[in-house]
Amino acid sequence: MQESGENYLETILILKNRNGEVRSIDIARELSVSKPSVSRAVGILKDNGYITMEPNGELNLTESGHARADAIYERHRFITKFLAEIVGVSPATAESDACRIEHIISEETFDKIKEYLSRCR
């Protein structure tokens, strides 16, 4: 899956947790993208079995979509924490950099970051 698809899944998860429901317009606002861009992404995510859409337009993560979104969001949280608390970059920079790093970091490196943070607690 491409980075943009992962961003959409992560955003759906975050919005669902925050608001209880998610529609395409919510994603467009959250990501500051056009409605047609969201429509295209939603179609791809549906075709790949990551989300479903209710007749009222509400989007839901499937089991595999939820698993993928959880994994991405976990990476985001841990990398943000590592960059801000251990490396010492500003929270805004940590958040921004984590958004990019979470998509390319190896499983081995991510596991080591998680392991390191758990030892620091």
Side-chain angles (χ1 to χ4, degrees):
M1 175 181 293
Q2 293 184 352
E3 179 178 334
S4 62
E6 290 182 344
N7 281 333
Y8 279 97
L9 285 176
E10 182 181 23
T11 300
I12 292 167
L13 176 69
I14 291 167
L15 290 172
K16 191 79 160 176
N17 290 340
R18 185 189 311 156
N19 304 330
E21 62 181 39
V22 181
R23 289 185 170 70
S24 293
I25 189 66
D26 303 319
I27 298 168
R29 288 182 185 136
E30 185 76 12
L31 295 177
S32 298
V33 297
S34 69
K35 292 179 201 174
S37 293
V38 175
S39 180
R40 181 179 177 277
V42 164
I44 292 168
L45 293 173
K46 278 175 46 180
D47 290 346
N48 288 312
Y50 291 114
I51 64 171
T52 60
M53 183 184 289
E54 301 297 324
N56 67 0
E58 183 178 349
L59 301 173
N60 292 298
L61 294 166
T62 62
E63 189 174 322
S64 63
H66 207 287
R68 188 72 180 257
D70 279 338
I72 297 160
Y73 190 49
E74 177 187 43
R75 285 175 175 236
H76 182 94
R77 291 189 328 269
F78 275 92
I79 294 167
T80 300
K81 182 178 179 83
F82 179 77
L83 293 173
E85 295 179 12
I86 306 303
V87 177
V89 300
S90 72
T93 299
E95 182 75 26
S96 175
D97 287 349
C99 277
R100 293 191 305 265
I101 294 168
E102 68 194 30
H103 304 288
I104 60 169
I105 193 170
S106 71
E107 197 65 38
E108 177 185 5
T109 301
F110 178 65
D111 288 344
K112 292 297 180 181
I113 289 172
K114 279 177 46 177
E115 184 181 303
Y116 182 82
L117 288 173
S118 69
R119 286 195 314 260
C120 291
R121 291 185 186 165

